[in-house]
Every structure is written in structure tokens, then in C-alpha cells.
Amino acid sequence: MPHIFRRAKACRVVATAAALPLALSLTLAGISHADPGAPPERQLAESVQAPNIKRHLQEFQKIADANGGTRASGTPGFDKSSDYVAGKLRGAGYQVTVQKFDFPFFREKSTAAMSQVSPDAKVYKPTAPGSSELGDFVTLTYSGSGNVQGTVQAVDLTLPPAPAPSSTSGCEAEDFAGFTAGNIALIQRGTCPFADKARNAQTAGASAVIIFNEGQPGRTDAFAGTLGGPGFTVPVVGASFAVGEDLASPANTVVKLKTDTESTTRSTSNIVAETKRGNADKVVMAGAHLDSVLAGPGINDNGSGSAGLLEVALQLAKVPPKNKVRFAWWGAEELGLLGSEHYVANLPEAERNKIALYANYDMIASPNYAYMIYDGSGGPAGSAEIEKNLAKYFDFLRLPHVPTALDGRSDYGPFMTVGIPVGGLFTGAEGIKTPEQQKMFGGEAGKPYDACYHSACDTTKNINEKALAVNTGAIAYSVATFAFSDNPPARTVAAKSAPAQHGKTQTYHGGLAM
């Protein structure tokens, strides 16, 4: 899941009864295994077994270990992960498509450095590549490389900041009238995309760009962000409000700034598997992103969703569904949902209209988990039905659950944009567990759901096996419900245009437009 430092919404308690025993496997507690008289959704939920899912995770870990510790798109680790998933699906009898596409690859090769040379000698704390613990500044995704020293020149700043976010600093070319080429542009966050600010500065001759947070409550820390794609040749960083305020006065402050990045075009792929039988005019679709970040093997993010989905697909292959079922494992999600966007953008409208729903499974086994179901009230018509179906499974197990917002952060975003009903599950990323959630789910309040999010420690040791088992059962239950339904959710309005290929959601990496 892309990194945007969002807090999970957890305002409505849907069920509060006691959780299942810790000895939980995928077999539903209190229900006989593989009951031939049970509805198909219960049969599929009972057929997926925790040891099989763990074996997929162990395979992903082995692949990462043998390929530089990562499974990121554009690396051999991702290619081997794709081969593994595609091979399992072909062996089960699915029609498998490997959809290749080019994407803008980015990595930070070494930790950036920034210091004030004059009037005061001062070193600012960097953010290490792939770290979720932010320093005083962060290299923005697709920043150029450089090692520069220059005079800081403020660009249309509002200091002190306005009560509400409203800064237009650097948004117009006119903001750089009188800018001295070779200076370092100091720009305030707000209103327009980071890319617009950085591009205007680069065009004006800036040797580097520092975009600092705007300064309102909640907008003071350094921030991770993206410039949306390659094309930037100078260092571009996102800094805290305190750093920006420090550099803005006095005038003619001199700063040294170094970034070391690689921004190129590489190839990756989506893996799409479809049942050979079922009504092709009612396609039930479920997906998970297969790629990790460069910093680690990505076993929770998102080996967990990928492994759970794979095991569900392998079990579903044993029975003919009433509706076509299509599973997808996306590439390049971590750089902005690029795989799912490519898929939707290249799907003819007639084919998009056949997709009854899309359910997304991204991070389903966070160590300090909460059971979160995407809030269908925020999605296209039909989304609430997906939420209710998943909630029914948790209620049946007498497990608490909370809603989480459909904010476009994961691969359901492109489907939501074109009006397809969406839903899914999530157990939390870098957000902080609340005391209320601790009472509901256990774990530790005041701690991240996943302390190893986007880090090298996101290994097989970073998995909560109970959450993995429960959520995979829920995936199976939901897939089977709609696979055998006469009337799965469907759009009630005409499809919107597909998103532009390689576009970004507004919330990705802290918000392109904020």
C-alpha cells in the first residue's frame, strides 16, 4: 500500500462479541469442516487452510531473500513472485494473462543530506530510504539527483500561515518572476500538486527545491510525497514547517542539499486469472497488489493479501461458479496504483461494464491488527452491498469490525473512478491503534498497526496468523457469495471515463494536490 500517513477511520462498532479462540485455523469455529450441505460461500470459506496460505508467504520470503531482499516491481524479486503466482493458477486450470506494461521506476540510492551553511551552521535530520520514521525532510519520489550549495530564495510564502490550507506558493510561473537562476527555491505546500511547484521552479532555473509543510495543525511535519513521474533533474525534498520557517529568514540563507536517486522506465506486469466457466456478463473480480517496496520483502504489504487471494482462487478452481470470477495480482501499486490503473485504462468500456464488482485485499495480517471493512457508503452504487456481505461473515464468527474509508489509497481506486462497486478488507498500516480498538481487537493502543510497514522487517515474522486466517476466510466467503449470486452488485449509472494511464489518486503519498 502506498505511503500517505493516513489514519484509519474507526468510528462505528458493528459487532462487539468475544473473538474466536487463539487456536483458530481457517475452519470456522463450531462448524463441521467441508459440510457438503452448506451454502457455497461457507464451503469455500471452510476449504481454505491456514498452512497453505503460510506456504505462499514463505515462498514470497524465499524469493525476496534470493533477490536482494525485495519483491518490488521492476526487480527480479517481483518477476519471480509473478512466475510463482501464475504457475499455481495455470496448474489449477485458470485462463491466465500476464499483462506487461512499462512504468516509471524510482529509487533513492543513498540517504539525502541537507544543512544550513550560513548564517548558522546546522544539519537537518534526513529520512533514510524506505523508512517510515520521518526526519526533518524527505526526498520526494521522482526527485532528481544533485549535490548543490546555493542561496535560498523564498517563493510567494504566507508566513505566518493562514488559518486554513490555502497557500498557492509556486503554483504559477508568475511566482518565479525575478527568481535568480542557481538559487534554491523555498516553496510552501498547498493548493496545487507538488509536481507543478517543482516544475515551475526547475523551469525558472532553481538548482534545488525545498517544499515545506504549510503550518496549520496537522500540517507541520515533514512529509513523503510524489512528483508523479520522471522528468525532474534537480533535488526536490519535502520538509517540515519548522525547517521552512527557519530557512525563510533571514534572507540569503545558504543551504547545501544532496540527493542520490534513480528515476527510469522499467517493465513489470499484472497477473490476471479468470474462471473458464460462469456468466461472462457478470464478472466478479477480486485483487491484491503483488509488489513490495524496495526497502523490504513486503510479506504483510502485500504478500498477505496476495497469498490469501491465491489460496482462495486455488480452492474455487475446484467448483464451477455461476458468474465469471476474475482474480488479479497488480504490479507497481507502491508507486501509485500503476498496475490497476493500467488495467482499467486499457479495458474497453463494454468489458468494464461487465464487471459487477471489484474487491481489494491489501494488508490483511498486520501484527497489531484491526479488522477493517471498506465503508461502502463512500463508493459507487453497490459498494454498500459488498461491505454488508463481508460484515455478515465477521458477525457470524462473532468478531468485531470497524469501517475504513474508501479514500482511493489502494487498487480499488481506479475501479471506483469508473463507477464499479468496490469494497474489501484492511488491517492497518502506519496508522496508530486507538484505545477503543485495543478493547475490540487486543494488541497495543498507541502503536502502529504495522511497525514494519514499508521496512526491511516486513518478513514472515511480521504476520498475525489469526488475522491472516480470519481475513482469508472472509475473502473466500465474499468471492463465493457473489460468484454464485443471481444478482451481484452492479452499477446503476453509466460508466465514467477510465483514468489516465499512470495517473495518481489525490491521496497518494500525502496528496498530490495538497
Side-chain angles (χ1 to χ4, degrees):
M1 173 169 285
H3 198 169
I4 63 163
F5 296 91
R6 176 180 62 80
R7 296 291 180 260
K9 175 181 172 186
C11 59
R12 184 173 76 243
V13 178
V14 188
T16 57
L20 293 176
L22 289 177
L24 179 73
S25 76
L26 252 283
T27 304
L28 303 184
I31 301 174
S32 60
H33 178 58
D35 179 359
E41 59 270 23
R42 253 182 52 190
Q43 290 188 46
L44 187 63
E46 293 169 19
S47 71
V48 288
Q49 297 295 306
N52 295 336
I53 309 163
K54 289 172 63 178
R55 276 193 285 271
H56 300 318
L57 292 180
Q58 289 162 358
E59 189 63 31
F60 291 149
Q61 182 70 61
K62 289 178 184 177
I63 289 170
D65 291 344
N67 291 279
T70 186
R71 298 185 306 104
S73 273
T75 72
F78 179 85
D79 295 340
K80 294 295 184 182
S81 297
S82 297
D83 291 344
Y84 174 77
V85 170
K88 289 287 186 182
L89 295 165
R90 288 193 183 101
Y94 281 94
Q95 294 177 322
V96 178
T97 300
V98 179
Q99 184 186 40
K100 293 186 178 297
F101 62 96
D102 291 336
F103 74 103
F105 175 84
F106 175 83
R107 70 183 177 111
E108 193 173 6
K109 296 191 288 185
S110 62
T111 302
M114 185 167 71
S115 59
Q116 184 179 150
V117 177
S118 66
D120 301 311
K122 187 180 300 184
V123 175
Y124 298 104
K125 182 181 178 181
T127 301
S131 174
S132 59
E133 183 177 341
L134 301 186
D136 296 322
F137 69 99
V138 185
T139 303
L140 298 192
T141 303
Y142 301 114
S143 163
S145 286
N147 188 357
V148 303
Q149 180 172 312
T151 300
V152 173
Q153 185 168 346
V155 178
D156 191 26
L157 306 183
T158 302
L159 294 175
S166 57
S167 169
T168 61
S169 170
C171 290
E172 295 85 27
E174 292 76 17
D175 291 344
F176 294 86
F179 187 86
T180 302
N183 280 357
I184 295 174
L186 181 65
I187 301 173
Q188 199 166 9
R189 184 182 184 183
T191 306
C192 68
F194 302 138
D196 289 357
K197 296 173 184 283
R199 191 174 294 110
N200 287 335
Q202 183 172 278
T203 300
S207 61
V209 183
I210 301 169
I211 303 174
F212 68 96
N213 219 338
E214 193 171 356
Q216 295 84 12
R219 289 170 68 86
T220 58
D221 294 342
F223 55 89
T226 180
L227 300 174
F232 297 89
T233 58
V234 302
V236 185
V237 300
S240 68
F241 176 75
V243 168
E245 194 174 39
D246 187 31
L247 298 179
S249 179
N252 299 318
T253 293
V254 176
V255 161
K256 182 180 288 187
L257 175 59
K258 179 180 76 71
T259 57
D260 181 20
T261 66
E262 178 185 356
S263 186
T264 58
T265 297
R266 292 192 182 184
S267 179
T268 192
S269 59
N270 297 320
I271 305 298
V272 181
E274 186 171 274
T275 55
K276 293 178 180 178
R277 300 179 65 176
N279 187 343
D281 291 325
K282 294 180 180 178
V283 177
V284 174
M285 195 165 181
H289 77 85
L290 185 57
D291 62 316
S292 72
V293 293
L294 282 162
I299 301 302
N300 184 37
D301 184 15
N302 182 38
S304 62
S306 291
L309 193 68
L310 178 58
E311 189 57 28
V312 169
L314 296 179
Q315 296 304 319
L316 181 70
K318 301 173 183 177
V319 292
K322 183 175 292 187
N323 303 313
K324 281 273 189 189
V325 180
R326 186 178 301 159
F327 297 97
W329 287 262
W330 308 114
E333 187 267 1
E334 293 291 5
L335 283 170
L337 321 184
L338 302 186
S340 54
E341 285 193 349
H342 177 84
Y343 177 82
V344 173
N346 287 277
L347 200 63
E349 185 172 337
E351 293 302 311
R352 294 203 309 271
N353 290 338
K354 294 178 182 179
I355 299 175
L357 65 105
Y358 173 78
N360 195 69
Y361 301 105
D362 190 352
M363 301 182 67
I364 64 168
S366 299
N368 196 26
Y369 72 90
Y371 293 130
M372 304 185 204
I373 304 173
Y374 286 116
D375 186 351
S377 65
S383 301
E385 189 174 340
I386 303 169
E387 179 190 12
K388 290 176 183 177
N389 173 256
L390 288 165
K392 183 178 179 181
Y393 177 82
F394 284 89
D395 292 345
F396 181 71
L397 293 182
R398 297 182 297 134
L399 289 171
H401 51 93
V402 295
T404 188
L406 284 167
D407 57 8
R409 183 177 181 180
S410 195
D411 286 302
Y412 57 82
F415 293 87
M416 185 166 65
T417 298
V418 298
I420 294 171
V422 295
L425 300 172
F426 179 48
T427 52
E430 79 287 0
I432 304 300
K433 175 173 276 189
T434 66
E436 180 186 27
Q437 290 173 341
Q438 182 184 33
K439 292 177 183 177
M440 296 169 68
F441 307 111
E444 294 184 77
K447 300 287 187 180
Y449 301 107
D450 183 355
C452 287
Y453 177 65
H454 282 190
S455 299
C457 59
D458 187 9
T459 67
T460 49
K461 295 180 180 179
N462 193 47
I463 291 291
N464 185 288
E465 294 187 10
K466 177 182 176 182
L468 180 69
V470 168
N471 280 315
T472 303
I475 295 170
Y477 181 87
S478 184
V479 167
T481 297
F482 297 119
F484 291 94
S485 171
D486 290 326
N487 296 293
R491 283 170 287 179
T492 56
V493 296
K496 301 176 184 178
S497 298
Q501 187 175 337
H502 291 166
K504 305 292 188 296
T505 61
Q506 280 195 333
T507 51
Y508 169 65
H509 271 298
L512 286 176
M514 296 299 289

